[in-house]
Amino acid sequence: MTTATISTFEPDGRAIAYIDEGAGPALVLIPETGQDIASLGTLASILVEEDFRVLRLAPLDTADSVDALAQTVVDVMDAVGLDHSWIGGHGFGSTVARAVARGHHDRVNGVLLMAPEDVDGELVDDIPVLVIHGTDDEVTPLSVSERLVASAPAIASLKQVEGAGHLFPATHPGETSWFIEDYLDWD
C-alpha cells in the first residue's frame, strides 16, 4: 500500500480535497456519492504500484451542476499540472467523468465508468470508454452498463466483476485494477 497525503485545492473559496500519487500514465478517480476519499484508496494504491499516476478526488458537491463539477475536476487537474488523463468515476462519479469528456474533450484520453448511473447523454464519439460493473449490483443494474456499451460498441467495452455488488471498486480492488491495467495496456 502507498502512503497517501490529502491535499486541498481552494479556488473561489471552495475546498476540494484530493490525493495525487504515483508516476506514469494518469487516471483521475471520482468517488460515488456518499463515499469518502478513502473508498477508492485500495484500488488507487494497486494502480500506483503498477506505475500509474492516480489523482483521487474527495466526493464532489452534488448540489452543483454536473458541468460545474466537470470544471472542478479540470481545475484540480490544472492545480497539479495534469494536462490530460483518463477520467474515471464510480456511480455518480461516472456521470461527472462523462461530463468532463463532453466539456473538456482535449483533456481526456479515455473514460473509465464503474457502475455508471443511468443518465441521458451519448458517449463522446472518439474517446475510448471502459465500463466495469459488478454482476450482483443492486443499486445500479448491470443492464444499465450493457445498454450504454451497446449504444457505442466501437468505443466502449464492458468488463464484469463476477459476484460483486455496487461497491466493487472497494470490495474487489484487485480484479477491478486488473481490468483497468489490461484495458489500458500499461505494463
Side-chain angles (χ1 to χ4, degrees):
M1 296 283 283
T2 60
T3 302
T5 301
I6 298 176
S7 300
T8 304
F9 175 58
E10 298 187 44
D12 308 321
R14 298 173 292 152
I16 303 158
Y18 67 90
I19 296 171
D20 184 16
E21 56 188 334
L27 172 63
V28 174
L29 291 177
I30 308 162
E32 168 68 288
T33 302
Q35 299 296 304
D36 62 21
I37 197 166
S39 68
L40 298 174
T42 302
L43 174 61
S45 291
I46 294 169
L47 293 171
V48 166
E49 289 173 8
E50 295 297 326
D51 299 322
F52 285 72
R53 177 181 181 185
V54 179
L55 174 60
R56 187 167 24 124
L57 302 181
L60 300 173
D61 185 353
T62 58
D64 290 340
S65 73
V66 172
D67 291 334
L69 296 175
Q71 183 61 53
T72 296
V73 171
V74 171
D75 290 345
V76 176
M77 290 172 64
D78 288 343
V80 300
L82 191 56
D83 294 330
H84 55 87
S85 177
W86 270 73
I87 308 295
H90 177 224
F92 176 72
S94 291
T95 301
V96 177
R98 290 174 67 181
V100 174
R102 279 192 311 275
H104 305 276
H105 185 272
D106 60 324
R107 306 291 299 271
V108 179
N109 297 339
V111 179
L112 167 65
L113 306 175
M114 297 180 285
E117 292 184 318
D118 192 5
V119 296
D120 291 333
E122 297 179 3
L123 298 172
V124 177
D125 286 338
D126 59 345
I127 295 178
V129 178
L130 172 60
V131 181
I132 305 175
H133 209 114
T135 59
D136 292 346
D137 189 335
E138 294 181 4
V139 175
T140 305
L142 176 59
S143 61
V144 171
S145 289
E146 291 171 335
R147 279 193 312 274
L148 182 63
V149 170
S151 74
I155 60 167
S157 179
L158 175 62
K159 301 296 182 187
Q160 298 178 30
V161 182
E162 289 297 324
H166 189 69
L167 298 178
F168 70 86
T171 62
H172 294 72
E175 190 170 354
T176 303
S177 68
W178 183 84
F179 285 140
I180 296 167
E181 184 179 357
D182 184 60
Y183 186 84
L184 300 177
D185 197 27
W186 288 346
D187 289 330

